[in-house]
Amino acid sequence: MKIFMLIRFLDYSGAPTMFMWVAEALHRRGHDVTICTYNTLKKDIRLSDGIEWVDFTDEQKGFFGITSRVRNMIKKYTPDVSISFQLDANVYNILACYGLSTKSVVCERNDPYKPGYWKLKLFKPLFSFADGAVFQLPKARDYYSNIKVPVAIIPNPIVSKTSIRCGKSSHRKKVIVTHGRIDIFQKRQDVLIDAFAMFVKKHPEYQLHIYGGQWPGTNDEERLKQQIKALGLEGKAFLKGVSKKPQQDIKDAMVWVSTSDFEGISNALMDAMAIGMPCVVTDCSPGGAAFLIKNRENGILVERGNPQAVYEGVKFMIDHPEEADRMGQKALEIETLLDSNKIEKQWEDYLLSLEE
């Protein structure tokens, strides 16, 4: 099968990472894969030999220019399917494939219900012209009621199994930890800092470690630094920067926390669960956290946007170390649920079904 894949840029954030994983997975299964980007931020990406990467970041721009360029590439490569990740690429993909034999498959990788997603409201009618669609979660699929063609709900996989494991609570450091992009609008690290400010009053020996970098041109790191200073948490709450080995960096902490308001299936959360970390996670839209975390079974699910609820979840984990360890051990089952071979096959089976 000849497969063309389109995304705005490649880096190691969530959607681009999964985009590259899908490309590699389909290539491993013997398919001819070409990927295309048009606004690449990083050039240090390495893909397997045999996957062609076409980039026109420095060439034609603008809505019609990009659409025309993508359409010309699809005509050149004559793929059976063209898969796109994220909203802008989905729009270009549908328009570029219209009237051609190539089938367009769009992929929603985030929360279509998120605040301020006005471009999606504008372009949603266009999605009825897609030939297929892949969603991570049922609620995300429900938003696109105008898509009448066959769709698939395929979660993210555990990309690579690891031998790293966090030990029992009695052997770990008095640290609360999180990792992921610094993004106050979505990831809400400000809520985590507020919750930690409550927690540290009763547990002054604890520290908060926040791993991650911000999007270029944003100032969220500075805003969080100011919040830390205003709450008197200097010397206790730290922005640790981007982690190159997140599982290694988080494994000795007592609790891993995510305070996102909206999220697909979080790769960072899967990282933490896959090494047995006790996790406290907000019940973010459209249900990615609830898909992974069964409350009080393999982690704690709390109300989003509520520092008090986050504080109480963290406090429970610290005050009940045996329960925290039990939930951490249960979290390890994520490796079976999201086995990469199983997810690979779901992708391949769905794409092949579109040819029938």
Side-chain angles (χ1 to χ4, degrees):
M1 190 177 201
K2 292 180 69 174
I3 299 169
F4 186 83
M5 296 183 63
L6 179 69
I7 194 170
R8 182 159 60 97
F9 62 82
L10 291 183
D11 65 4
Y12 292 106
S13 57
T17 295
M18 282 299 101
F19 177 91
M20 288 186 282
W21 180 86
V22 171
E24 296 279 4
L26 294 171
H27 175 66
R28 279 194 299 272
R29 288 184 169 261
H31 300 287
D32 182 351
V33 179
T34 299
I35 69 169
C36 176
T37 54
Y38 51 91
N39 190 19
T40 297
L41 300 178
K42 295 183 177 180
K43 301 293 186 181
D44 60 344
I45 305 294
R46 295 291 179 267
L47 297 166
S48 295
D49 291 343
I51 297 178
E52 184 174 355
W53 179 6
V54 180
D55 177 77
F56 58 95
T57 297
D58 299 324
E59 299 176 30
Q60 206 164 11
K61 297 293 178 69
F63 182 86
F64 294 105
I66 294 173
T67 302
S68 176
R69 188 63 189 270
V70 173
R71 186 174 176 86
N72 288 338
M73 287 184 180
I74 291 172
K75 287 180 176 179
K76 174 184 176 181
Y77 289 98
T78 62
D80 300 296
V81 296
S82 178
I83 305 168
S84 51
F85 273 43
Q86 301 178 308
L87 176 60
D88 53 347
N90 288 336
V91 171
Y92 296 133
N93 190 26
I94 294 168
L95 292 173
C97 289
Y98 188 74
L100 303 180
S101 61
T102 297
K103 289 180 166 55
S104 59
V105 176
V106 296
C107 302
E108 174 61 79
R109 309 305 299 177
N110 209 310
D111 178 14
Y113 304 91
K114 70 181 182 181
Y117 210 178
W118 64 268
K119 284 203 296 184
L120 177 56
K121 294 180 176 63
L122 177 65
F123 286 114
K124 182 181 175 181
L126 185 64
F127 282 66
S128 63
F129 294 96
D131 298 300
V134 176
F135 303 95
Q136 294 175 288
L137 298 160
K139 190 177 177 183
R141 190 269 174 268
D142 292 345
Y143 180 88
Y144 293 89
S145 57
N146 60 321
I147 297 180
K148 304 302 181 184
V149 294
V151 303
I153 297 174
I154 305 177
N156 287 356
I158 297 290
V159 174
S160 59
K161 293 188 177 181
T162 179
S163 60
I164 296 172
R165 294 290 184 268
C166 62
K168 290 188 175 181
S169 295
S170 56
H171 295 97
R172 300 204 301 273
K173 297 176 182 178
K174 296 183 185 301
V175 172
I176 312 301
V177 71
T178 191
H179 72 290
R181 186 178 72 253
I182 301 296
D183 184 341
I184 294 174
F185 177 65
Q186 178 181 357
K187 308 290 187 179
R188 295 306 305 272
Q189 287 92 352
D190 59 319
V191 170
L192 175 55
I193 292 171
D194 282 341
F196 180 71
M198 301 177 195
F199 178 81
V200 80
K201 289 178 182 177
K202 295 186 177 181
H203 297 275
E205 71 277 18
Y206 272 78
Q207 293 184 357
L208 172 64
H209 292 178
I210 299 175
Y211 288 93
Q214 65 185 5
W215 286 121
T218 62
N219 68 339
D220 285 1
E221 286 185 11
E222 183 59 33
R223 290 171 61 189
L224 294 181
K225 288 177 183 178
Q226 291 301 318
Q227 182 184 4
I228 288 168
K229 182 177 181 180
L231 291 171
L233 297 176
E234 292 175 304
K236 293 187 178 296
F238 301 91
L239 301 182
K240 305 284 283 185
V242 175
S243 171
K244 293 184 178 179
K245 297 180 179 178
Q247 290 174 316
Q248 187 67 38
D249 287 334
I250 69 176
K251 71 180 179 64
D252 293 324
M254 292 294 284
V255 183
W256 186 90
V257 185
S258 172
T259 47
S260 294
D261 273 358
F262 56 92
E263 191 88 58
I265 295 179
S266 167
N267 294 325
L269 174 55
M270 292 194 297
D271 282 346
M273 295 178 72
I275 64 171
M277 283 293 296
C279 297
V280 175
V281 187
T282 49
D283 188 7
C284 51
S285 179
F291 173 77
L292 297 174
I293 296 291
K294 308 308 175 190
N295 194 30
R296 302 297 174 112
E297 292 184 21
N298 61 351
I300 294 179
L301 205 60
V302 300
E303 182 183 16
R304 58 181 168 169
N306 186 338
Q308 179 68 32
V310 176
Y311 158 73
E312 290 173 0
V314 171
K315 184 176 183 299
F316 181 89
M317 290 292 199
I318 300 303
D319 291 347
H320 302 85
E322 291 184 359
E323 277 292 286
D325 290 343
R326 178 191 64 77
M327 285 188 267
Q329 285 299 303
K330 190 72 173 173
L332 289 170
E333 294 178 5
I334 194 73
E335 286 192 338
T336 301
L337 174 66
L338 299 177
D339 177 72
S340 61
N341 291 323
K342 182 178 4 177
I343 305 301
E344 275 188 25
K345 190 172 188 308
Q346 289 178 20
W347 271 97
E348 183 180 47
D349 287 349
Y350 173 68
L351 294 176
L352 290 173
S353 74
L354 297 177
E355 291 196 308
E356 296 175 356

